Amino acid sequence: ITDAPFINPGNDISVCASNPTANLLATSNAAATQWVWSTSTNVVPGTFSTTTALATTYNPSDADTAAGSVYLVFSSTAQGSCNVVTDSLELTITDALIVDAGVDDTICANNLVYTLSGTVPVAGLWSVVPGGDGTFTTDTDMNGTYTAGQGDTTAGNVIIVLTSTSNGACAAATDTMLLEIGPGIFVE
């Protein structure tokens, strides 16, 4: 009598659509000496870096991402006279983050304060592209203000960037808006 094969594909995993590669590490006892990874989907599956090793990576297909999840199946293929054993884990693919810095806008050189209107899933951080020299009341307030600097005024515009923070498994998302600075209206 030999030991029965035992395999474990690992715990369920969650990845983000913007950073979708899943690192997989299965375990097996000595009764199973060869294995194969596959998916439960009948549509176009994603790709494994290798299907015959304990450690591999899986990149979800567009169909997997649209479905929101896929089961990754791990099976023994060499287990002596014992029956094949199979186990699976669920790979959940969450939506990528979307941020919105607001629409492009214009202010006048005699009123350099602009009220921001950004949206982020959890939290975000305002910045400007290099060359911008204005200041934010608070760079984490989505409805704070930006006061254009002298360099912004001289250039006639500044590009304001909103970047997501607290991203979890997702890659940071960014959006930009162009703030043009027109000549002010002055009365002599």
Side-chain angles (χ1 to χ4, degrees), residues 58-81:
Y58 181 77
N59 289 304
S61 68
D62 290 341
D64 294 338
T65 301
S69 68
V70 61
Y71 282 91
L72 305 180
V73 181
F74 186 63
S75 302
S76 65
T77 58
Q79 58 283 331
S81 59

Side-chain angles (χ1 to χ4, degrees), residues 57-152:
T57 59
Y58 181 77
N59 289 304
S61 68
D62 290 341
D64 294 338
T65 301
S69 68
V70 61
Y71 282 91
L72 305 180
V73 181
F74 186 63
S75 302
S76 65
T77 58
Q79 58 283 331
S81 59
C82 296
N83 291 332
V84 170
V85 290
T86 298
D87 199 356
S88 63
L89 65 86
E90 183 178 16
L91 175 65
T92 302
I93 304 114
T94 60
D95 292 336
L97 301 176
I98 298 173
V99 300
D100 183 2
V103 297
D104 295 348
D105 211 343
T106 303
I107 59 174
C108 292
N110 65 346
N111 183 13
L112 297 175
V113 178
Y114 180 75
T115 301
L116 302 164
S117 180
T119 57
V120 292
V122 178
L125 182 68
W126 292 105
S127 63
V128 293
V129 297
D133 66 349
T135 57
F136 296 94
T137 50
T138 304
D139 60 4
T140 56
D141 183 353
M142 296 303 100
N143 298 304
T145 61
Y146 177 78
T147 302
Q150 183 60 47
D152 299 338

